Amino acid sequence: MLNLTGKNALVTGIANNRSIAWGIAQQLHKAGANLGITYLPDERGKMEKKVAELVEPLNPSLFVPCNVQYDEQVKSTFEAVQDQWGKLDILIHCLAFANREDLTGDFSQTSRSGFKTALEISTYSLVQLSGAAKPLMTEGGSIITLTYLGGVRAIPNYNVMGVAKAGLEASVRYLAAELGPANIRVNAISAGPIRTLASSAVGGILDMIHHVEEVAPLRRTVTQQEVGNTAAFLSSELASGITGQVLYVDAGYEIMGM
């Protein structure tokens, strides 16, 4: 029933085989989508090589660098989509970053530069990429981002990233309202804690995972594949009536009071 054959999907944020973005890319490929992958470029080209080797089995037809802190790279990414595909159907936004020192200690001591960096990469980039994708989604589309419970509740050591995720979730609603008339849906997946390169910067991440395993109704946390399954669903016509929402994929942890 879930068929993405003929759909062009651009996936951002793959760093390694533990990335949630990697789990999403795998499930989109399994559903038949034509994939494009962006990677974060570095001077030595290590990330390009690592990501290229990882995604090779998915046979992406587009593989481009994109650092969202540089407008020209965002522009060139979507020019490549236009030139190679002509249209875009699915955009997966899996981008988040905060300085490690801003994820520990007192939130009130967050630096001005650290605050700006976290919000620019983790929040504004969704707005920026959605604006670039809009004219290419000529047949409608689905935009999906990743958030976390720390955007609506105070989570130890999440600090400025919680503010960034709160802004991200608000951005989902405003983008959904703007893009809905063009049949472009915008949603967020709030995943439970998973060991990834990004989450390793959050102090006590293993304690958080163990806590979820003890408290969540399913008595476990979730996998990248489960998040990928939800993203594939939201990308498909099966979710044609869903937009502006935050879907929790966290083994039910979000519902618990204690």
Side-chain angles (χ1 to χ4, degrees):
M1 292 177 62
L2 203 163
N3 187 356
L4 298 176
T5 302
K7 300 293 185 180
N8 297 323
L10 184 66
V11 180
T12 68
I14 296 177
N16 55 39
N17 62 359
R18 287 187 175 180
S19 300
I20 295 177
W22 169 237
I24 293 174
Q26 288 178 292
Q27 298 312 106
L28 294 180
H29 173 72
K30 185 177 180 180
N34 174 40
L35 292 183
I37 306 293
T38 74
Y39 62 90
L40 182 64
D42 60 271
E43 292 183 0
R44 301 177 64 181
K46 292 178 62 177
M47 187 61 70
E48 177 181 5
K49 184 176 185 294
K50 178 188 295 186
V51 176
E53 291 176 352
L54 179 63
V55 304
E56 185 178 5
L58 306 186
N59 193 31
S61 61
L62 195 65
F63 187 73
V64 292
C66 186
N67 184 334
V68 293
Q69 291 184 286
Y70 297 96
D71 291 341
E72 63 272 17
Q73 288 196 26
V74 174
K75 181 181 178 182
S76 64
T77 294
F78 286 88
E79 285 177 345
V81 171
Q82 172 72 61
D83 293 343
Q84 189 143 336
W85 292 346
K87 70 179 181 71
L88 181 64
D89 303 293
I90 300 162
L91 172 63
I92 305 296
H93 175 272
C94 299
L95 303 172
F97 176 82
N99 294 321
R100 187 177 292 270
E101 60 267 26
D102 292 317
L103 295 175
T104 58
D106 294 336
F107 173 61
S108 63
Q109 298 306 303
T110 305
S111 66
R112 182 184 299 273
S113 62
F115 192 95
K116 290 171 64 177
T117 295
L119 273 289
E120 178 186 6
I121 298 175
S122 310
T123 308
Y124 176 69
S125 62
L126 174 67
V127 180
Q128 183 182 32
L129 296 186
S130 297
K134 180 179 178 180
L136 296 175
M137 290 186 160
T138 53
E139 299 176 8
S142 178
I143 298 173
I144 301 165
T145 189
L146 290 177
T147 185
Y148 176 60
L149 186 62
V152 293
R153 299 185 190 176
I155 302 292
N157 298 315
Y158 208 58
N159 290 13
V160 71
M161 188 56 72
V163 177
K165 293 300 188 184
L168 184 74
E169 293 182 18
S171 298
V172 164
R173 293 186 284 273
Y174 279 96
L175 288 168
E178 173 193 340
L179 302 178
N183 195 31
I184 299 172
R185 297 178 293 106
V186 187
N187 292 289
I189 298 172
S190 185
I194 299 174
R195 287 194 67 181
T196 66
L197 182 63
S199 70
S200 66
V202 178
I205 182 64
L206 292 181
D207 292 335
M208 293 167 62
I209 291 174
H210 295 325
H211 176 69
V212 169
E213 291 171 340
E214 293 174 356
V215 174
L218 295 182
R219 295 298 188 267
R220 62 177 179 84
T221 188
V222 294
T223 67
Q224 288 90 336
Q225 180 178 336
E226 287 176 314
V227 179
N229 287 337
T230 304
F233 161 70
L234 288 173
S235 299
S236 75
E237 288 302 310
L238 296 176
S240 59
I242 301 174
T243 194
Q245 302 302 308
V246 177
L247 274 67
Y248 285 88
V249 182
D250 65 352
Y253 180 80
E254 185 269 340
I255 70 169
M256 301 302 292
M258 292 183 67

